[in-house]
Amino acid sequence: DATYPPDESVKGSKIVGFDIDLINAIGTTLGIKVTTKSAVFDNIIPGLKSGQYDVGNSSFTDTKERQKSVNFVDYFKAGEAFYTKKGNNKAPKTLAQLCGHSVAVESGTIEEDDAKAQKKKCTGGKTITINTYQTQTEADLSVKSGHSDVGFADSQVAGYIVAQSKGAFQLSGKPFGVAPYGIATQRSANGRQLARAIQSALHVMVDNGVYAAILNKWGVSAGALK
């Protein structure tokens, strides 16, 4: 889902980002050609299960629930973070403070799951209005227009959104809920074999410095796994 910079986005007619550089380097390491295709985030795991795709590589948080559908090879760690319009000092800084506010999330993300879980915990007559969008770009526009109080995304993505907003956005609070990202493959014999090959390639890339160089290029070295 190429609406999630610096992980994956479209520049001109090309998909770029650290996930793209990483999967291409994995292909080079394995001696195979990689073809990338942008898809709506919510459709990627179903596409893997149906055989439409061999690999899902789109900032997937590795969760127990998702493991029921796909294999994961972990390659990064990221937290979650809120961002809001510049000057909005009443925006929530924690999940608990989200009660009583509206939040923009991308459909199918861990942030959408966490916002829904927190909504069930709200008390005192407060609730959370969850505005769900197919792309992160649409979620950003919801915050920018004032339709949503805050946007909710992975921490390095929220940081990038703020940095590229030319002063329109600011972070609200500190990152939390650090968890691993996984490259996904089908839960089949071929899918498991491909996952093991990807894992082996990543070990090679960690040892030869390619992995660190890619993360450093995109300013996301803080999320490196050993």
Side-chain angles (χ1 to χ4, degrees):
D1 168 42
T3 68
Y4 217 56
D7 301 10
E8 41 267 330
S9 62
V10 175
K11 185 175 183 180
S13 60
K14 290 182 63 178
I15 305 173
V16 299
F18 95 81
D19 270 348
I20 307 305
D21 284 358
L22 197 69
I23 201 68
N24 285 335
I26 288 169
T28 299
T29 303
L30 295 174
I32 59 176
K33 181 184 177 182
V34 175
T35 302
T36 54
K37 178 180 175 63
S38 186
V40 173
F41 186 77
D42 241 358
N43 295 342
I44 297 175
I45 287 180
L48 282 170
K49 294 170 73 175
S50 71
Q52 183 179 2
Y53 310 122
D54 300 304
V55 175
N57 182 43
S58 193
S59 308
F60 278 111
T61 300
D62 180 352
T63 66
K64 294 292 184 183
E65 186 61 32
R66 286 175 176 160
Q67 286 173 18
K68 296 175 183 177
S69 301
V70 294
N71 302 301
F72 277 121
V73 181
D74 292 350
Y75 67 98
F76 191 74
K77 62 178 185 289
E80 300 170 81
F82 294 119
Y83 61 98
T84 188
K85 289 178 72 173
K86 187 74 172 181
N88 181 6
N89 297 319
K90 295 182 179 179
K93 294 179 171 57
T94 66
L95 266 176
Q97 292 177 4
L98 196 55
C99 296
H101 292 276
S102 56
V103 59
V105 294
E106 184 177 1
S107 177
T109 60
I110 194 70
E111 285 79 19
E112 182 186 28
D113 292 343
D114 285 350
K116 288 179 177 178
Q118 182 59 44
K119 184 174 182 176
K120 295 177 182 177
K121 300 176 184 177
C122 292
T123 59
K126 292 183 178 180
T127 189
I128 300 170
T129 301
I130 303 171
N131 298 319
T132 303
Y133 301 93
Q134 280 202 327
T135 68
Q136 186 59 43
T137 304
E138 292 171 301
D140 297 345
L141 288 172
S142 179
V143 179
K144 189 174 183 179
S145 69
H147 183 66
S148 299
D149 296 333
V150 292
F152 194 15
D154 291 353
S155 53
Q156 82 282 2
V157 174
Y160 187 88
I161 290 167
V162 170
Q164 297 296 311
S165 72
K166 299 180 180 179
F169 291 140
Q170 65 186 27
L171 290 171
S172 185
K174 296 180 179 179
F176 56 89
V178 175
Y181 276 0
I183 295 172
T185 67
Q186 300 159 6
R187 287 187 67 85
S188 63
N190 287 341
R192 288 192 295 273
Q193 186 178 29
L194 180 56
R196 287 194 290 269
I198 290 170
Q199 185 182 48
S200 296
L202 280 167
H203 280 290
V204 170
M205 290 161 54
V206 168
D207 290 343
N208 66 16
V210 170
Y211 172 80
I214 291 171
L215 269 60
N216 184 61
K217 170 186 172 181
W218 291 96
V220 294
S221 297
L225 294 181
K226 296 180 180 180

